[in-house]
Amino acid sequence: MKEITRKTFLEELSLLAGMSLLAGKTVASDPTWKKSKMKLGMVTYLWGKDWDVPTLIKNCTTAGITGAELRVEHAHGVMPNLSAAERLEVKKKFADSPVQIVGLGTNQQYDYPDQNQLKQSIERTKEFIRLSADVGGSGVKVKPNALHKDVPTEKTLAQIGQSLNELAKYAADLGQQLRLEVHGNETQELPNIKTIMDHAPNRNATVCWNSNKQDFNGKGLEYNFNLVKHRFGDTVHVREFNDPTYPYQQLLDWFAKMNYKGWILLECHTNPADKVASLIEQRQLFEKMTA
């Protein structure tokens, strides 16, 4: 047997330490090993539609949900008709709580063949952008939102993209992000979303992934994800994580591999009796899936 001297022991110990450091470096350099920086929030579209601001903050705090995208025209009443003082009050309520306003969720769209309607929607969006800035939000969600049989598809997609580009510049000046939700009967097809974004080169025009069943169309989910991932903004919409019809673990893994640091927002479509308990359940699932 080889005689182990103090010298050889120290040499071998040093070698093992070096191998351990090398292995650690390899693991650390692999992005799939990085701790997820994604944050969990909620969209108030259904589960929070009947909550005023104090109730929303209370329920989110109880459930451990730290961010909320406020859907406009709901019970929270965060709308452009708020006075300057009322806007400051909303901002202070969130600032004094553990819950952050992620932004505003609007129904503004830019597919209208009628150019007066289009102009009105663009101006209304600017009102929401100013409102979001005043209440402490970071951006505004908008929609594409449809194709029209009497208008060439390319023309409609270009019009939507050009409108987004104009609004993205406006939003940037106010420190707000413009977020295009993957939405609409035909506009939610990811190749169409990519075409829209090609007409909106301003990087402040971003895509909000919406976890639709249409994400699987054409060449499949991964292909469609990759089509637009370079334009993702700070928000992603998901349904319930335990919905077996959508591969949420795979989706979250893709975002984690990108080192995504934005908000994963629950836009749940069920109607549980205890929505706070359901939010807690979803938060626990999210924590397991991103651990």
Side-chain angles (χ1 to χ4, degrees):
M1 293 179 63
K2 177 181 177 182
E3 181 180 357
I4 306 247
T5 66
R6 183 174 183 275
K7 179 181 179 183
T8 57
F9 173 76
L10 291 174
E11 287 175 346
E12 292 181 6
L13 184 63
S14 177
L15 178 62
L16 286 171
M19 292 173 64
S20 177
L21 285 171
L22 181 61
K25 182 178 180 182
T26 302
V27 167
S29 64
D30 182 351
T32 61
W33 285 84
K34 293 180 180 177
K35 182 174 175 58
S36 171
K37 296 180 176 63
M38 294 179 283
K39 298 162 288 188
L40 182 66
M42 71 172 294
V43 174
T44 62
Y45 170 54
L46 289 177
W47 281 14
K49 67 183 178 66
D50 299 321
W51 299 342
D52 60 16
V53 168
T55 303
L56 173 64
I57 291 173
K58 176 180 177 291
N59 289 345
C60 284
T61 301
T62 300
I65 300 296
T66 57
E69 179 185 276
L70 307 187
R71 183 68 175 262
V72 303
E73 300 165 357
H74 281 346
H76 343 302
V78 181
M79 290 289 289
N81 62 348
L82 292 182
S83 67
E86 289 170 329
R87 294 177 187 216
L88 282 175
E89 183 181 358
V90 171
K91 183 177 182 178
K92 186 176 187 304
K93 284 178 180 177
F94 280 96
D96 291 343
S97 81
V99 184
Q100 179 179 335
I101 295 184
V102 177
L104 303 179
T106 80
N107 293 310
Q108 298 308 304
Q109 61 191 76
Y110 316 105
D111 58 282
Y112 298 112
D114 185 321
Q115 295 303 292
N116 286 328
Q117 279 187 287
L118 173 63
K119 183 177 180 180
Q120 289 171 12
S121 188
I122 288 173
E123 293 306 311
R124 186 62 166 169
T125 305
K126 290 178 180 178
E127 292 182 24
F128 282 115
I129 290 169
R130 295 193 295 271
L131 174 63
S132 180
D134 288 345
V135 298
S138 62
V140 170
K141 183 225 62 170
V142 297
K143 297 177 177 179
N145 194 46
L147 299 179
H148 303 271
K149 63 180 182 179
D150 297 328
V151 181
T153 295
E154 178 56 40
K155 182 178 179 179
T156 299
L157 298 180
Q159 175 178 291
I160 296 168
Q162 290 158 9
S163 301
L164 292 176
N165 207 56
E166 174 187 339
L167 287 164
K169 294 175 184 177
Y170 183 87
D173 289 339
L174 292 171
Q176 299 294 298
Q177 187 178 76
L178 193 69
R179 300 158 179 164
L180 182 74
E181 183 179 40
V182 180
H183 195 274
N185 186 39
E186 294 173 289
T187 50
Q188 67 193 342
E189 299 286 345
L190 273 304
N192 286 337
I193 294 292
K194 181 185 182 302
T195 298
I196 289 170
M197 300 310 292
D198 288 344
H199 288 283
N202 189 293
R203 301 305 292 183
N204 196 43
T206 67
V207 170
C208 173
W209 187 264
N210 198 39
S211 304
N212 304 316
K213 65 181 182 180
Q214 290 80 8
D215 299 344
F216 300 89
N217 289 354
K219 296 183 180 180
L221 181 64
E222 186 171 12
Y223 175 86
N224 287 328
F225 181 89
N226 289 335
L227 274 181
V228 296
K229 69 178 183 181
H230 63 294
R231 297 301 300 270
F232 286 148
D234 292 342
T235 59
V236 175
H237 290 177
V238 297
R239 314 293 172 253
E240 294 84 340
F241 290 118
N242 46 357
D243 178 354
T245 66
Y246 202 96
Y248 284 112
Q249 183 65 68
Q250 184 179 51
L251 181 71
L252 292 175
D253 287 347
W254 286 341
F255 275 106
K257 193 169 184 179
M258 291 172 57
N259 198 27
Y260 185 71
K261 300 175 184 177
W263 289 93
I264 306 298
L265 300 175
L266 291 162
E267 188 181 16
C268 301
H269 284 182
T270 55
N271 187 27
D274 189 338
K275 294 180 175 60
V276 175
S278 296
L279 282 172
I280 292 172
E281 178 190 24
Q282 293 302 312
R283 174 179 55 77
Q284 292 171 341
L285 286 170
F286 176 78
E287 289 169 351
K288 290 179 182 179
M289 296 167 78
T290 57

